[in-house]
């Protein structure tokens, strides 16, 4: 599979310092679920170490297709519901702001 055919889910977060540990724990738990899903390729969880950017936590997950992302989303939502975890509610309570989107590699040919 080529990088050009992959879909990248990029989630950028502004996380208050006091919410960092709890928020990262939730992200890492979710990524454990994602890594077991069909069509998952690889991921990274990044924390800002310098620079003027406002997003201090960024996650990137590479998927084989949009269909794989859609299927994984259903599994993650079911797992969160089973565990009584509501991501939107948690982010609101922690004061986390998010910018979430899917991306594709830009062809340079």
């Amino acid at each position: 599979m080529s990088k050009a055919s992959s879909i990248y889910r990029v989630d950028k977060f502004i996380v208050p310092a006091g919410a960092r540990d709890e928020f990262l724990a939730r992200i890492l738990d979710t990524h454990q679920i994602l890594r077991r899903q069909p069509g998952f390729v690889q991921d990274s969880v990044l924390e800002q170490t310098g620079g003027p950017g406002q997003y201090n936590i960024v996650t990137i997950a590479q998927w084989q297709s949009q269909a794989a992302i859609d299927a994984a989303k259903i599994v993650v939502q079911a797992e969160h519901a089973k565990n009584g975890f509501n991501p939107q509610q948690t982010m609101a309570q922690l004061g986390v702001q998010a910018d979430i989107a899917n991306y594709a590699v830009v062809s340079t040919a």
Side-chain angles (χ1 to χ4, degrees):
M1 184 184 97
S2 73
K3 281 187 176 184
S5 64
S6 293
I7 301 292
Y8 295 83
R9 170 68 181 253
V10 180
D11 298 353
K12 300 177 284 188
F13 303 98
I14 300 171
V15 181
R20 177 197 178 273
D21 292 345
E22 180 178 348
F23 189 70
L24 275 177
R26 293 294 192 172
I27 285 177
L28 295 173
D29 287 346
T30 298
H31 277 249
Q32 288 299 322
I33 300 166
L34 295 175
R35 291 175 185 137
R36 296 189 302 264
Q37 302 313 304
F40 173 84
V41 178
Q42 64 180 347
D43 69 337
S44 296
V45 177
L46 309 169
E47 185 169 22
Q48 183 182 27
T49 60
Q54 62 180 341
Y55 297 101
N56 53 341
I57 302 289
V58 176
T59 65
I60 302 170
Q62 182 182 359
W63 294 89
Q64 290 177 349
S65 66
Q66 183 62 51
I69 293 173
D70 296 342
K73 181 177 180 180
I74 292 167
V75 171
V76 169
Q77 287 174 336
E79 190 68 24
H80 285 169
K82 183 176 90 173
N83 295 324
F85 173 55
N86 181 320
Q88 291 75 24
Q89 183 180 42
T90 298
M91 287 194 314
Q93 289 172 341
L94 295 175
V96 173
Q97 297 176 44
D99 178 22
I100 297 171
N102 294 341
Y103 294 83
V105 172
V106 175
S107 174
T108 58

